[in-house]
Amino acid sequence: MISRRAALAGLVLSALALGAAAVNVGPARPAPTAASPSTLPAPAAAASAPLSPPGQRIYERSRQRLLQVRTLLKTQDSQSSVGSGFLVDPSGLLVTNYHVVSQFAMQPQRHRLVYATVDGQQGALQLLAFDVVHDLALLRPVDPAPLAGRGAVPLRPADEPLQRGARVYALGNPLDVGFAVSEGSYNGPVERSFLTTLFFGGSISSGMSGGPALDDDGRLVGVNVATRRDGEQVSFLVPAEPVRALIERGRAAAPVTAPAWAEVTRQLTAHQEALTRAFLAQPWRNAGHPRYVIPVPQERFMRCWGRSSPQALRSLQFEHSACSMDSRVFVTGALQTGHLSVRHEAYDGSRIGALRFADRYAGSFANEPMGGKEAQRTAPRCVERTIERDGLPLRAVACLRAYTRLEGLHDLSVLVATLDGERVGAQGRLDAWGVTAENARRLTAHYLDGYAWTTPPAASR
């Protein structure tokens, strides 16, 4: 049985050979009535609620170090995205989010970067380095003179942890309407997150991406990056430590002048290796099914949700579980990757009969979407086998889609269905976005190994 299961896992590599071809606060995209690049809205030092005296003090102390970062079409002054940034070095180095400058990073021949300050200074920017996984970018002005003498936002030392409930002040230029500060509370790291992300209990709007979130002493706690639109004042910050590492790595770097796909690929490859290693190191949880052992991931960096059909419904009964990572790695507006999900459905057809159950059960498996060919990915190439896991017959399908610009990375989907029951069954799916061929093989084998009988075959019949 083990050799047949391993054979299916090995077919992932064959599918790859056939298939290979050649959720954040986004940057504000202004409405037609927005101010032109040459005219900033009047500076504002308030968010939706009145500022406290400490908030006013933080804003006044930091306002000269705030910038708006714009991506413009190279041949005209039309802006395609607007975000925020802040000075981190007296020489003029500044930090923003990677997603604010991603259009330039991928198409520098078509775009250019500019900044604008609270007091109306403007100038061209160069992209020095970025951290696509943590959504950070380091830039410097072409002419440092207009930014001279403004100082820099100091980073809060790593050995001075902030207490939960401490006040934090997020600064930026929301929706391209003016510089502002939003007060909120620090709530510690986000639970069940693969990458360390800070939970900010305050409002962050589009256009504030890349702005600083400061403590009472004006030191950097984190960088504004995302918000939950289905909640109230649930926002997120990139912590200061990746900022510190990016500054040291990129301070002396040459400006980016060519499309950055190769560097993005390098960073994503390192990310997927760490993510796969961490995922494989965790034992599966059991779904609690009376007949089957169904693999369910730990909730260390995933969240799982379940639902079931109403008991009164005289039709196919089911229980559904879906586990997924909250975070995605932003590459471009059309491409996010670097995450995992696992889900399953357990079916009971005792109320509808064997023939209707077989039809509904097969139809559910056949309806699983695998995607088609698109600009960012090739069409999926799939292999299907009937295998056994300690006597449990399984129908298994493994599919791969290659990225057209991220060489060596792929999306993996593995579908599994039990085949032993006339009126009962379980189906599951593992998806991995942005993994290498070798890690696709390892994940496939790991997922198939998670299926078994709850009781020995002799006792289950």
Side-chain angles (χ1 to χ4, degrees):
M1 308 308 175
I2 294 177
S3 62
R4 295 181 68 184
R5 186 168 67 257
L8 177 63
L11 283 171
V12 172
L13 296 177
S14 300
L16 170 62
L18 291 172
V23 205
N24 316 355
V25 177
R29 302 185 185 281
T33 55
S36 69
S38 60
T39 306
L40 269 178
S48 56
L51 275 179
S52 66
Q56 296 174 11
R57 173 174 52 81
I58 292 297
Y59 179 79
E60 288 304 318
R61 178 192 297 181
S62 306
R63 65 195 300 270
Q64 293 299 315
R65 300 161 188 175
L66 292 177
L67 303 103
Q68 188 180 55
V69 178
R70 297 178 173 138
T71 303
L72 309 181
L73 296 176
K74 182 167 283 189
T75 57
Q76 53 182 293
D77 281 342
S78 298
Q79 54 193 26
S80 55
S81 71
V82 179
S84 299
F86 57 100
L87 296 173
V88 294
D89 185 275
S91 68
L93 291 179
L94 62 130
V95 164
T96 187
N97 287 142
Y98 163 80
H99 73 255
V100 170
V101 300
S102 61
Q103 291 174 313
F104 174 86
M106 294 310 188
Q107 293 184 310
Q109 71 280 8
R110 296 185 59 184
H111 298 93
R112 57 193 176 95
L113 299 173
V114 299
Y115 71 84
T117 63
V118 173
D119 54 3
Q121 295 292 325
Q122 299 184 53
L125 291 170
Q126 297 173 323
L127 174 61
L128 297 181
F130 57 83
D131 180 343
V132 69
V133 174
H134 292 98
D135 202 351
L136 296 170
L138 182 69
L139 304 96
R140 73 180 176 201
V142 174
D143 178 8
L147 301 180
R150 294 173 180 264
V153 173
L155 277 60
R156 185 182 176 92
D159 59 358
E160 294 185 25
L162 201 61
Q163 298 298 312
R164 288 180 184 268
R167 300 303 291 171
V168 173
Y169 309 89
L171 287 73
N173 196 314
L175 302 174
D176 195 27
V177 298
F179 288 92
V181 56
S182 175
E183 292 190 43
S185 58
Y186 173 78
N187 293 300
V190 174
E191 296 180 358
R192 287 174 285 180
S193 177
F194 181 69
L195 299 171
T196 301
T197 305
L198 304 182
F199 174 13
F200 170 59
S203 298
I204 295 177
S205 300
S206 296
M208 293 181 71
S209 292
L214 309 177
D215 64 13
D216 279 329
D217 294 320
R219 298 176 299 180
L220 184 76
V221 174
V223 180
N224 307 333
V225 69
T227 192
R228 287 289 293 263
R229 294 179 179 173
D230 57 346
E232 296 293 332
Q233 296 195 349
V234 179
S235 302
F236 306 101
L237 311 172
V238 180
E241 283 312 298
V243 177
R244 199 186 315 274
L246 180 63
I247 294 170
E248 293 307 311
R249 173 168 63 85
R251 184 187 301 274
V256 173
T257 57
W261 288 103
E263 175 60 16
V264 168
T265 302
R266 186 191 69 78
Q267 294 184 21
L268 289 174
T269 301
H271 169 70
Q272 63 85 40
E273 183 62 34
L275 177 59
T276 300
R277 188 183 309 114
F279 186 74
L280 294 178
Q282 302 177 94
W284 292 110
R285 294 186 295 150
N286 190 355
H289 194 275
R291 187 179 182 93
Y292 310 115
V293 175
I294 303 170
V296 178
Q298 302 290 332
E299 293 193 71
R300 293 175 187 169
F301 50 82
M302 305 180 85
R303 282 180 169 78
C304 299
W305 302 91
R307 60 185 174 88
S308 62
S309 57
Q311 286 296 316
L313 184 66
R314 299 197 60 81
S315 182
L316 182 66
Q317 300 291 304
F318 69 88
E319 291 185 351
H320 173 89
S321 171
C323 304
S324 63
M325 297 173 61
D326 286 342
S327 61
R328 310 285 187 270
V329 178
F330 182 100
V331 179
T332 69
L335 178 60
Q336 297 183 36
T337 187
H339 55 108
L340 302 167
S341 71
V342 179
R343 60 181 173 85
H344 77 267
E345 295 85 29
Y347 296 97
D348 176 3
S350 59
R351 300 184 183 185
I352 63 174
L355 291 179
R356 288 182 63 196
F357 172 77
D359 179 67
R360 296 280 298 276
Y361 190 65
S364 178
F365 193 86
N367 285 337
E368 287 290 330
M370 307 307 292
K373 184 178 180 180
E374 58 187 49
Q376 303 290 351
R377 301 172 176 87
T378 64
R381 293 294 184 266
C382 304
V383 292
E384 180 175 352
R385 293 289 185 273
T386 300
I387 62 174
E388 289 187 358
R389 176 65 170 94
D390 296 331
L392 175 64
L394 300 172
R395 179 185 179 187
V397 176
C399 299
L400 276 177
R401 304 175 70 190
Y403 286 89
T404 57
R405 302 298 298 272
L406 302 172
E407 185 176 354
L409 297 180
H410 317 81
D411 289 349
L412 167 71
S413 296
V414 183
L415 305 180
V416 176
T418 60
L419 299 177
D420 64 294
E422 292 185 352
R423 301 189 185 188
V424 66
Q427 298 180 8
R429 175 165 178 161
L430 164 73
D431 287 283
W433 286 265
V435 294
T436 62
E438 172 59 19
N439 282 336
R441 183 195 65 78
R442 296 168 66 199
L443 288 166
T444 300
H446 180 60
Y447 187 58
L448 295 176
D449 281 342
Y451 286 88
W453 293 105
T454 299
T455 55
S460 66
R461 299 169 186 256

